[in-house]
Amino acid sequence: MLYEIKNENLSVSVAAHGGELRSVKDREGREYLWQGDPDIWKESAPNLFPYIARMTDKTYTFRGETYHMNIHGFLKYMDMELVSCEGDTLVMKLDSSQETKAQYPFDFTVEIRWQLKGKTLEITYCVENKDNKTMYFGIGGHPGFNVPMEAGLAFTDYCLDFGQETQPLRVGMSEDCFVTGKDEPYALREGRYLDLRHDLFDDDAVILCGMPKQVTLTSDEGTRGIRVEYPDMTYLGIWHKPGMEAPYVCIEPWTSLPSRKGVVEDISGQDNLISLEAGAKYENNWSITVTDISRE
């Protein structure tokens, strides 16, 4: 099941399965979102909850009990329930169930709201802890964008522009994509630009922290771009499938990190996870804006 919202500038499609964003088109019909390809990367923009990336042995503990979870949690594998779809706004939710509790021992509701405002798609994650104990989780986005966006351009004509001079850290990761604790400064061209090359991802994702809270996918040779803003996200993953010339890049705002290399985490002690007290609600907003470089 697909749901559509639109305004005078954009039309957006979202699947009930995982609440996955499937299309972002401008009024000329240009598609900005990667459409998925089973030979490259079959997804377009999964939502990540209640864990981001990998757990050692797909395993964690809580209060002495052992649980198992696949990469990026379970939300992306489950159908969400429609709450409302009217005009420029769509809301869906997932409630805890016996299926989720087998992996994650908490009562919760996670709701996602998509709202179009001009050339911007605002995405809001709302998590409600319906349990009588504190719950621990990570949440984030994983949208892939077509690169190039315009005929006649190449992947390497594009860069990520952080909008100001900055000195982010690259989160240290092992070859099998677990946190090592060895973060290092990550150099940007002129302290601001990350030029896209396919070999950037030969060692999998580039994960940054300490970066500005927005980044624009842009090209000096083109007229179209995408800006992603993530004011309350701590980490930014940048990725495409390693070892190939994939025609897309993912810009992934995250609240938390994978587990440490060789450590089966107790999620109540993983310090980058969100802790939400019993009965409390959590909200996080981020956005995707289609930019017209020739007019900005």
Side-chain angles (χ1 to χ4, degrees), residues 138-198:
I139 198 164
H142 196 314
F145 300 103
N146 291 322
V147 183
M149 298 179 198
E150 299 174 71
L153 299 185
F155 187 88
T156 51
D157 290 325
Y158 286 81
C159 71
L160 294 176
D161 178 4
F162 285 94
Q164 63 188 65
E165 192 168 333
T166 185
Q167 181 56 79
L169 292 176
R170 181 174 185 176
V171 176
M173 301 292 290
S174 64
E175 292 182 358
D176 50 353
C177 302
F178 294 98
V179 172
T180 64
K182 298 178 181 179
D183 301 350
E184 296 182 347
Y186 192 70
L188 301 172
R189 176 170 58 85
E190 299 177 25
R192 172 173 171 171
Y193 305 100
L194 174 56
D195 296 314
L196 291 188
R197 310 185 317 269
H198 292 295

Side-chain angles (χ1 to χ4, degrees), residues 73-259:
F74 51 70
L75 175 58
K76 71 176 194 156
Y77 302 105
M78 295 185 164
D79 289 338
M80 299 192 77
E81 177 185 344
L82 178 66
V83 176
S84 62
C85 183
E86 297 182 13
D88 60 9
T89 304
L90 168 66
V91 182
M92 287 194 281
K93 70 172 183 173
L94 177 73
D95 292 317
S96 53
S97 63
Q98 289 185 336
E99 185 178 0
T100 67
K101 284 190 172 182
Q103 308 173 60
Y104 186 66
F106 302 96
D107 286 313
F108 67 86
T109 294
V110 58
E111 187 176 272
I112 307 178
R113 181 173 68 249
W114 299 263
Q115 184 172 19
L116 288 169
K117 294 182 178 180
K119 295 182 179 180
T120 296
L121 173 63
E122 293 188 351
I123 301 157
T124 303
Y125 294 137
C126 303
V127 181
E128 182 178 0
N129 183 356
K130 294 184 171 179
D131 216 306
N132 59 8
K133 57 185 178 289
T134 300
M135 64 182 284
Y136 304 88
F137 64 92
I139 198 164
H142 196 314
F145 300 103
N146 291 322
V147 183
M149 298 179 198
E150 299 174 71
L153 299 185
F155 187 88
T156 51
D157 290 325
Y158 286 81
C159 71
L160 294 176
D161 178 4
F162 285 94
Q164 63 188 65
E165 192 168 333
T166 185
Q167 181 56 79
L169 292 176
R170 181 174 185 176
V171 176
M173 301 292 290
S174 64
E175 292 182 358
D176 50 353
C177 302
F178 294 98
V179 172
T180 64
K182 298 178 181 179
D183 301 350
E184 296 182 347
Y186 192 70
L188 301 172
R189 176 170 58 85
E190 299 177 25
R192 172 173 171 171
Y193 305 100
L194 174 56
D195 296 314
L196 291 188
R197 310 185 317 269
H198 292 295
D199 63 2
L200 278 175
F201 311 110
D202 283 353
D203 296 323
D204 216 275
V206 175
I207 303 172
L208 302 180
C209 62
M211 67 286 159
K213 296 299 186 176
Q214 70 172 46
V215 67
T216 301
L217 174 62
T218 185
S219 171
D220 288 341
E221 307 300 319
T223 63
R224 306 289 177 167
I226 288 286
R227 182 170 66 250
V228 181
E229 299 182 57
Y230 37 90
D232 297 316
M233 300 286 191
T234 305
Y235 304 96
L236 186 69
I238 305 162
W239 178 84
H240 77 38
K241 189 172 181 179
M244 63 168 52
E245 295 188 358
Y248 69 92
V249 66
C250 290
I251 303 172
E252 309 173 35
W254 298 349
T255 62
S256 60
L257 291 173
S259 71

Side-chain angles (χ1 to χ4, degrees), residues 63-78:
R63 293 186 173 178
E65 298 292 328
T66 298
Y67 300 89
H68 303 284
M69 194 181 296
N70 278 327
I71 183 172
H72 291 319
F74 51 70
L75 175 58
K76 71 176 194 156
Y77 302 105
M78 295 185 164

